[in-house]
Amino acid sequence: MKICIDCRLIDSGGLGTFIRGILRHLISQREHSFLLIGDSSRLAVYESPNVSVSHCNLPIFSVKEQVGYPYHDVNRCDAYIAPNYNLPWGIRIPIYTVIHDVLYMDMPYMSSWVGRMLRKQYLRLSMKLSRHIFTVSHFSRARIVTHFPDVKSVSVCHNGLDETFTTPIVKPTALPEWITAPYYLYVGNLKPHKGIDTLVEAFETLPGDYRLIIAGSGDNFRSGINVDTLTRIERNVSMGRIILPGHVDQNTLFALYANATALIQPSVYEGFGIPPLEAMSMGTQAVISDIEVFREIYSGFPVTYFRAGDPSSLTSTLLALDRNKHISLSSELKEKYSYRATAQHILDRITNQSAS
């Protein structure tokens, strides 16, 4: 089979992690060929006898996307993988779409009424056009079915732990010079559903010998954050207690994970939530909110829960934490979430449905 994959978001946050994670395993299947849609200079590293690239850097959810997408190249393939629910309308081959969550349906305050309705229509259209929907947790599957009971078929293929976190190669652990004190770590953006307000309010009540590092992409880093929380962050930044390095490279991320007292993930909503998995693979304990999806994904893992949305619960949890504790995941837990398995699940679904 020849399979087309939309890779335009390969360097964006969680979506980019998912695309990179499954891509290396999909294209290793030499009995199939692949067409990658995206920036040709970025995707050149993947080109091989069974992999070609069609250049396209048109923004998603845009008129330009609908008009200028390389439909001729795409429609010469046998199947199309969309890692997000933006679907150019001229695709005439079987479509397989990944919907990571329905955040804007479950948390209406995240966007305007118009924005929410537009997203809902895009979701509805993608489900109508897709032969099958993949999602990353049973929680997300349940939420998709709740909002869209007519969806034809949905299966779960989890996010995974990137192989760079599990290979035996010694990872850089030397901290950047701008870190001069013990610290807690948060990895992600500052959007409301991430629970940043809870994190910052709790951190302000902790003793002053610790720092909080908030690492993540600079794109939309403060999107939707409330004024009070932003003021708290800026005040603590000026005091040197909160550090905002923005996007960090992989080696710096390894070092931040490995040397943190704990990774804190205070989300009130997630489709999966990868940072706790990455932190624990580096030996660092994870303090996470007790939301439903984390109870699902991290069942059996040595995580520490606190009550979601409750700063006092997070404060007391951090104060009771053993600051010298080191996490050691069993091989079974390290392999529980694998992009190799996810890629195989997607490929099996495509090839089986193609054969039927």
Side-chain angles (χ1 to χ4, degrees):
M1 293 186 68
K2 185 171 186 179
I3 299 171
C4 179
I5 308 171
D6 183 356
C7 298
R8 285 175 292 163
L9 297 176
I10 194 166
D11 290 318
S12 67
L15 280 170
T17 300
F18 183 88
I19 295 168
R20 295 190 303 273
I22 66 170
L23 187 55
R24 65 171 63 97
H25 297 297
L26 288 173
I27 65 178
S28 69
Q29 306 287 329
R30 301 298 181 182
E31 66 270 30
H32 302 291
S33 60
F34 297 88
L35 173 66
L36 311 184
I37 307 295
D39 188 313
S40 56
S41 62
R42 171 64 180 85
L43 297 175
V45 65
Y46 294 103
E47 288 188 282
S48 66
N50 72 321
V51 179
S52 58
V53 174
S54 180
H55 180 75
C56 177
N57 56 9
L58 299 174
I60 66 172
F61 297 119
S62 68
V63 174
K64 290 182 179 180
E65 174 187 49
Q66 301 302 334
V67 175
Y69 205 65
Y71 296 112
H72 179 71
D73 294 338
V74 171
N75 289 326
R76 295 170 63 184
C77 298
D78 301 302
Y80 180 86
I81 298 175
N84 193 30
Y85 60 90
N86 61 289
L87 289 181
W89 299 339
I91 300 173
R92 302 290 178 246
I93 58 177
I95 297 171
Y96 297 83
T97 300
V98 184
I99 297 177
H100 295 254
D101 58 55
V102 284
L103 169 65
Y104 292 96
M105 302 296 101
D106 282 335
M107 305 191 76
Y109 67 83
M110 287 284 294
S111 68
S112 66
W113 181 86
V114 173
R116 189 165 65 256
M117 290 302 100
L118 285 173
R119 287 181 173 87
K120 186 172 184 178
Q121 290 308 311
Y122 266 104
L123 282 163
R124 193 183 304 280
L125 181 63
S126 69
M127 292 178 196
K128 179 180 179 181
L129 296 177
S130 300
R131 179 171 288 193
H132 187 77
I133 300 294
F134 301 101
T135 193
V136 294
S137 64
H138 292 285
F139 168 79
S140 281
R141 185 187 187 283
R143 301 313 301 155
I144 289 170
V145 172
T146 296
H147 288 287
F148 303 95
D150 295 332
V151 62
K152 289 175 287 189
S153 60
V154 187
S155 64
V156 175
C157 56
H158 297 104
N159 278 309
L161 186 60
D162 190 285
E163 280 80 356
T164 56
F165 284 90
T166 58
T167 51
I169 298 172
V170 176
K171 300 173 177 60
T173 57
L175 285 170
E177 60 184 13
W178 42 265
I179 302 177
T180 58
Y183 63 92
Y184 297 108
L185 177 65
Y186 167 84
V187 176
N189 57 42
L190 294 185
K191 293 183 179 180
H193 69 288
K194 295 293 188 177
I196 295 297
D197 52 348
T198 299
L199 173 61
V200 174
E201 186 175 341
F203 178 72
E204 281 196 318
T205 66
L206 295 174
D209 60 330
Y210 262 68
R211 302 292 181 265
L212 172 63
I213 297 177
I214 299 176
S217 171
D219 298 332
N220 299 316
F221 198 58
R222 293 175 171 83
S223 175
I225 190 170
N226 67 59
V227 175
D228 178 61
T229 300
L230 184 57
T231 300
R232 289 172 183 266
I233 291 174
E234 290 174 342
R235 180 171 63 244
N236 281 278
V237 168
S238 67
M239 296 166 57
R241 292 201 71 209
I242 291 181
I243 301 171
L244 299 173
H247 174 77
V248 297
D249 61 36
Q250 187 79 312
N251 285 346
T252 302
L253 184 61
F254 284 145
L256 289 177
Y257 274 136
N259 291 279
T261 295
L263 180 283
I264 305 174
Q265 193 73 32
S267 306
V268 294
Y269 188 99
E270 293 282 353
F272 185 96
I274 297 175
L277 192 61
E278 295 178 339
M280 287 186 288
S281 76
M282 295 290 292
T284 297
Q285 54 193 327
V287 177
I288 65 177
S289 54
D290 62 352
I291 57 177
E292 182 178 345
V293 69
F294 284 171
R295 291 287 189 184
E296 172 198 336
I297 297 301
Y298 292 107
S299 174
F301 282 80
V303 296
T304 301
Y305 292 103
F306 72 94
R307 287 191 301 276
D310 186 341
S312 63
S313 175
L314 177 53
T315 298
S316 60
T317 300
L318 292 175
L319 289 174
L321 206 63
D322 179 354
R323 293 185 173 187
N324 298 311
K325 185 176 180 180
H326 183 84
I327 296 297
S328 180
L329 295 182
S330 67
S331 58
E332 181 182 0
L333 287 178
K334 281 188 176 182
E335 296 167 4
K336 184 174 183 180
Y337 301 117
S338 158
Y339 280 121
R340 181 184 300 277
T342 294
Q344 193 62 53
H345 176 87
I346 292 172
L347 189 59
D348 287 347
R349 173 69 66 167
I350 292 174
T351 54
N352 290 340
Q353 288 194 335
S354 175
S356 62

